Amino acid sequence: YSVRRSIRDAITRYTDKRYSGFLNAILIGERTQLDSSITDDFVRTGTVHVIAISGLNIALVAGIFLMIFRVFGIKKKLNLILTSFAIVFYCFVAGSSPPVVRATVVFVIASFGFYLNRESDILNSLSLAAFLILLANPKELYDPSFQLSFGSVISIVLFAPKIEDLFGKRTNYIIKSAAVSIAASIGVFPI
């Protein structure tokens, strides 16, 4: 909490008030300083996920640490272990919401699998992430954030490749992006 508070205070102190709320929201998940009109704009445009800490943030932070450690010449296995520790720390700083815990557990399991020269299974990793979250707080099962987070990712894993297969060998970035969006929509529609 002290690290989170220090980051929030530094952002508030060194950035303009118009931007500090947005930066706090996307970096540490602190939305209390975010202007309500900005939040309403994100909700109205369907992009509210941008101001919510999620797997994307974990991927970006992991990418930054992986790159920094690589620049310092740290070997890949040690790089992944150090990055895993950094991601776990960031998970706590960012508030440990279900999407953040999910992404953190999946990254750590994949890193650990690489360290052991074993391939990790994404569905098993997601199951372990859900188990750990529910072990800490069983009421999370009824939280829409938990349901939407896991529903969308599981649906992406299961359906996106099948949707891409409908286009044969003509898959490109646009088709892959559309397949992921359609698959995520399939997973969250019932919720």
Side-chain angles (χ1 to χ4, degrees):
Y1 291 114
S2 64
V3 172
R4 183 182 174 108
R5 187 174 38 255
S6 298
I7 292 170
R8 183 189 61 224
D9 292 345
I11 290 171
T12 303
R13 186 178 321 117
Y14 296 115
T15 59
D16 187 67
K17 185 169 174 30
R18 294 176 296 172
Y19 308 114
S20 62
F22 179 72
L23 286 174
N24 279 321
I26 65 170
L27 292 176
I28 59 172
E30 179 73 42
R31 290 197 232 174
T32 56
Q33 298 176 348
L34 191 61
D35 187 52
S36 61
S37 65
I38 293 174
T39 305
D40 292 342
D41 289 342
F42 277 105
V43 170
R44 227 180 354 268
T45 59
T47 56
V48 74
H49 60 277
V50 171
I51 57 173
I53 300 287
S54 65
L56 176 63
N57 299 74
I58 295 297
L60 290 172
V61 171
I64 290 168
F65 277 106
L66 288 169
M67 185 178 63
I68 289 171
F69 293 142
R70 188 177 334 138
V71 166
F72 286 113
I74 296 175
K75 302 238 186 279
K76 190 168 186 176
K77 285 186 177 183
L78 181 58
N79 186 343
L80 286 169
I81 290 172
L82 293 174
T83 301
S84 293
F85 281 113
I87 293 301
V88 169
F89 181 74
Y90 178 71
C91 176
F92 286 112
V93 169
S96 302
S97 65
V100 174
V101 172
R102 182 205 71 230
T104 301
V105 169
V106 170
F107 180 84
V108 169
I109 290 172
S111 297
F112 190 65
F114 182 83
Y115 183 79
L116 297 175
N117 295 322
R118 299 195 62 183
E119 190 174 326
S120 61
D121 180 68
I122 188 71
L123 292 177
N124 286 340
S125 301
L126 288 170
S127 299
L128 180 59
F131 176 74
L132 293 174
I133 291 169
L134 293 174
L135 190 64
N137 184 4
K139 292 180 181 179
E140 287 289 340
L141 183 62
Y142 302 106
D143 185 354
S145 173
F146 178 89
Q147 296 170 2
L148 292 169
S149 174
F150 282 93
S152 62
V153 175
I154 290 169
S155 186
I156 289 168
V157 170
L158 294 176
F159 299 126
K162 291 176 177 41
I163 294 169
E164 286 179 35
D165 288 345
L166 296 174
F167 294 94
K169 297 191 186 285
R170 299 177 304 210
T171 58
N172 57 31
Y173 179 76
I174 294 171
I175 291 172
K176 287 178 184 284
S177 298
V180 167
S181 294
I182 292 167
S185 297
I186 291 169
V188 300
F189 177 73
I191 298 168

